[in-house]
Amino acid sequence: MVWLGTGKPVNGNHRSAPVAGPQRSNALVVRGSIEVGGRLMRTRESFAVAATPRFRATQREAVRAGARHGMVFVAAAALLTCVWLAPFHTAELTPILGINGALVLVAGIGYAAVRTRARRYPELAAFLVLLAADASIIALGTAGPDFGVVAGGYLLLLPTMVALVMPWSTRIHATWLTVHTAAILGFAALAAPGPLGSIGRHDLVALVVVSTTVSLFGHVGDLRARVLSFVQLERIRALNRQARRHQARLDRLNRILEQMARTDELTGLKN
């Protein structure tokens, strides 16, 4: 009995069938993203892969998890602010508890929504909760003369935290950063004279630029890492499919050779 041990067909003119359907689209993603001359994938190419429907579909669960984690972080930060500020600012106890309690409620509603009705729209739920967080922080900063620094710190820290937690699209991230930056500048214009008021407004603008830049770089770096992981998995799947096709072809040719070895081609009699 004769068996083939290589992937080469017996007939040199044999050609495998063209790839069609989902296999073809996956092959296009692999060719368009991983075969780039052996060099490191560029950011533009990462954005091109990230825009494909297949990549977005694979990231849905990660976006949902990021939205849930972000809402837990928002609620925990609001509770920590209450525990931290309430004992030392008894005169402003009512706005402290009211503002942070409302934010905890909004974050809880968003968390429940992402797990149930808003499961298909986690970006929208996270965006709305972040807007509520901005409004709560600004309200807290204007509630008392000593809260401006606390509010400014939260507003400057939030872009970095969002870049670390939320793996949503770059378009949504840039939109939220624009709204958040506008909220910070508006808060600086309305804040009482002090660290964030008329004296420190120029310093705040510089810090906003740094915070926004760090957030953008962090988001793009995370996106490139996720795209590279996706492309590698797609390449492995494509190689596995190719190996299965080659194995099926080898099995078919081995059956033909086995039949040829057992039967005389001239007489048709068995050997």
Side-chain angles (χ1 to χ4, degrees), residues 218-260:
H219 171 79
V220 172
D222 176 68
L223 176 65
R224 294 188 64 181
R226 288 185 286 119
V227 166
L228 182 59
S229 175
F230 166 77
V231 167
Q232 291 174 342
L233 289 175
E234 288 297 302
R235 180 61 173 169
I236 291 172
R237 293 191 183 101
L239 292 175
N240 286 335
R241 289 192 297 268
Q242 185 180 15
R244 286 194 296 268
R245 290 195 297 269
H246 288 173
Q247 185 62 45
R249 186 172 60 187
L250 286 174
D251 293 340
R252 183 172 65 254
L253 293 175
N254 281 323
R255 288 193 296 270
I256 294 174
L257 288 176
E258 181 181 0
Q259 185 67 24
M260 292 173 58

Side-chain angles (χ1 to χ4, degrees), residues 8-269:
K8 296 181 180 179
V10 174
N11 185 358
N13 296 325
H14 176 78
R15 299 182 65 182
S16 58
V19 181
Q23 294 181 355
R24 179 175 177 82
S25 63
N26 295 342
L28 291 175
V29 170
V30 172
R31 285 199 301 269
S33 55
I34 208 173
E35 296 178 3
V36 287
R39 56 176 169 74
L40 189 63
M41 185 183 299
R42 295 175 179 172
T43 303
R44 176 174 52 83
E45 294 162 345
S46 299
F47 287 150
V49 176
T52 59
R54 184 171 179 83
F55 177 81
R56 294 199 302 267
T58 60
Q59 299 297 305
R60 296 306 296 167
E61 188 57 39
V63 174
R64 295 189 190 100
R68 294 195 301 268
H69 296 160
M71 292 169 189
V72 170
F73 170 77
V74 169
L79 293 174
L80 181 61
T81 302
C82 290
V83 174
W84 173 27
L85 294 180
F88 305 101
H89 301 276
T90 55
E92 295 87 4
L93 186 61
T94 299
I96 291 175
L97 295 179
I99 293 171
N100 289 284
L103 183 57
V104 171
L105 179 61
V106 171
I109 294 174
Y111 184 92
V114 170
R115 294 183 64 89
T116 54
R117 294 182 179 275
R119 181 176 176 83
R120 296 180 59 185
Y121 309 101
E123 297 94 341
L124 178 60
F127 197 96
L128 294 177
V129 170
L130 288 173
L131 291 182
D134 284 338
S136 299
I137 293 171
I138 293 174
L140 180 64
T142 56
D146 298 330
F147 298 155
V149 175
V150 176
Y154 275 134
L155 290 173
L156 293 174
L157 181 63
L158 199 55
T160 303
M161 299 305 299
V162 171
L164 291 174
V165 175
M166 275 301 298
W168 52 13
S169 69
T170 305
R171 184 184 70 255
I172 299 177
H173 188 74
T175 302
W176 175 79
L177 279 178
T178 302
V179 175
H180 181 73
T181 302
I184 295 177
L185 297 179
F187 171 64
L190 297 175
L196 296 179
S198 58
I199 299 176
R201 190 166 297 142
H202 299 293
D203 297 334
L204 181 63
V205 171
L207 292 175
V208 168
V209 172
V210 172
S211 177
T212 303
T213 304
V214 170
S215 180
L216 282 175
F217 271 93
H219 171 79
V220 172
D222 176 68
L223 176 65
R224 294 188 64 181
R226 288 185 286 119
V227 166
L228 182 59
S229 175
F230 166 77
V231 167
Q232 291 174 342
L233 289 175
E234 288 297 302
R235 180 61 173 169
I236 291 172
R237 293 191 183 101
L239 292 175
N240 286 335
R241 289 192 297 268
Q242 185 180 15
R244 286 194 296 268
R245 290 195 297 269
H246 288 173
Q247 185 62 45
R249 186 172 60 187
L250 286 174
D251 293 340
R252 183 172 65 254
L253 293 175
N254 281 323
R255 288 193 296 270
I256 294 174
L257 288 176
E258 181 181 0
Q259 185 67 24
M260 292 173 58
R262 292 180 177 181
T263 305
D264 187 275
E265 294 185 358
L266 296 177
T267 60
L269 299 176

